[in-house]
């Protein structure tokens, strides 16, 4: 079945780095944009980034531009989010999401989320 | 402060109808598609409506979406207690070159 499984969430100190990974299965990975969305505790959804099916196009939210980097490995059906210079406000559940067309036309498959906590 | 504006909460009785509004601008809702997501307590969000008014397979026709100008609306009829959740609208913002969400609306079925 179609599935996204995130991993890599952890407790990290402010200023530290972390790499999140998402393993995709059950669909033709290269046919889809892939996005990262996060949700801080008790807060709403925040779009962070997406990459096109080929990986040639990437967009970022201003809040993470220059600190986070999205990448995908189409040979391994995986997408990653490299995060650096982490701040307390980056504490959140991070979701890997499939986006058939990009541009938030409709993100139709969500992972279960992985938790990142930034604290000293 | 979210780019898209939703009411923080709405409520209605079982069996009734409720609408949730999502207000934006020409750079997002006005010129791009709107999608809606349902987040039940403790779970990941789920796609309810895509491309303004289309329902994915498996989403009952009690859920509907519409868009007019720079606003969008999610409608839910025949409310059930299982519909109690947070609902989010989302759209692409062409000026920001980024995705944007509303702050979310908590639906209570009294």
């Amino acid at each position: 079945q179609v599935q996204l499984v995130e991993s890599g969430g952890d407790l990290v100190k402010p200023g530290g780095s972390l790499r999140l990974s998402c393993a995709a299965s059950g669909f033709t990975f290269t046919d889809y944009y892939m996005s990262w969305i996060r949700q801080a505790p008790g807060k709403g959804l925040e779009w962070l980034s997406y990459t096109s099916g080929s990986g040639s196009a990437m967009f970022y939210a201003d809040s993470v531009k220059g600190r986070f980097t999205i990448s995908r490995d189409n040979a391994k059906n995986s997408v990653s989010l490299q995060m650096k210079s982490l701040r307390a406000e980056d504490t959140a559940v991070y979701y890997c999401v499939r986006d058939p067309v990009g541009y938030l036309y409709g993100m139709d498959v969500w992972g279960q989320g992985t938790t990142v906590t930034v604290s000293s | 402060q979210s780019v898209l504006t939703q009411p923080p909460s709405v409520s209605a009785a079982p069996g009734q109808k409720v609408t949730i509004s999502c207000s934006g601008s020409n750079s997002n809702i006005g010129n791009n598609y709107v999608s809606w997501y349902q987040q039940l307590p403790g779970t990941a969000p789920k796609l309810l409506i895509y491309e303004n008014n289309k329902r994915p397979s498996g989403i009952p026709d009690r859920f509907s979406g519409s868009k007019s100008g720079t606003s969008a609306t999610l409608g839910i009829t025949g409310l059930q207690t299982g519909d109690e959740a947070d609902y989010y609208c989302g759209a692409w913002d062409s000026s920001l070159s980024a995705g944007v969400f509303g702050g979310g609306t908590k639906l209570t079925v009294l």
Side-chain angles (χ1 to χ4, degrees):
Chain A
Q1 74 279 23
V2 175
Q3 194 172 11
L4 299 172
V5 179
E6 302 97 333
S7 60
D10 205 348
L11 170 63
V12 60
K13 289 181 167 52
S17 298
L18 200 61
R19 185 179 184 88
L20 306 182
S21 296
C22 171
S25 60
F27 62 97
T28 303
F29 188 62
T30 52
D31 284 350
Y32 293 86
Y33 288 71
M34 296 298 297
S35 298
W36 286 95
I37 309 291
R38 72 182 177 186
Q39 187 170 34
K43 302 297 184 182
L45 303 176
E46 180 184 12
W47 178 89
L48 297 179
S49 180
Y50 83 59
T51 176
S52 61
S54 66
S56 60
M58 290 162 284
F59 291 91
Y60 296 93
D62 284 345
S63 60
V64 304
K65 200 173 294 183
R67 298 190 301 124
F68 290 11
T69 302
I70 192 170
S71 61
R72 63 190 295 160
D73 184 337
N74 286 341
K76 296 182 178 179
N77 288 357
S78 68
V79 60
S80 297
L81 187 68
Q82 178 67 48
M83 306 184 294
K84 66 179 184 179
S85 303
L86 284 163
R87 309 163 181 165
E89 54 265 36
D90 295 317
T91 294
V93 175
Y94 286 70
Y95 294 103
C96 171
V97 187
R98 188 178 86 167
D99 196 342
V101 184
Y103 302 101
L104 275 74
Y105 279 25
M107 296 181 289
D108 64 347
V109 179
W110 294 63
Q112 84 287 352
T114 189
T115 300
V116 173
T117 303
V118 183
S119 174
S120 55
Chain B
Q1 187 96 5
S2 301
V3 174
L4 305 181
T5 301
Q6 297 180 235
S9 63
V10 295
S11 62
Q16 297 300 303
K17 173 183 177 179
V18 71
T19 60
I20 297 173
S21 61
C22 176
S23 178
S25 66
N26 283 326
S27 64
N28 41 67
I29 293 177
N31 285 285
N32 291 292
Y33 283 117
V34 177
S35 51
W36 289 91
Y37 304 86
Q38 176 193 59
Q39 187 175 31
L40 297 169
T43 69
K46 179 175 77 171
L47 178 64
L48 275 184
I49 298 289
Y50 68 100
E51 293 181 10
N52 299 335
N53 55 17
K54 299 177 182 176
R55 282 177 289 105
S57 171
I59 300 298
D61 60 7
R62 301 188 298 108
F63 295 90
S64 64
S66 64
K67 188 182 96 167
S68 177
T70 59
S71 293
T73 302
L74 173 70
I76 311 173
T77 60
L79 278 170
Q80 303 172 1
T81 55
D83 295 331
E84 286 200 334
D86 293 321
Y87 292 84
Y88 295 90
C89 58
W92 186 254
D93 191 296
S94 302
S95 294
L96 297 173
S97 291
V100 292
F101 284 103
T105 299
K106 182 176 183 62
L107 169 63
T108 301
V109 181
L110 302 166

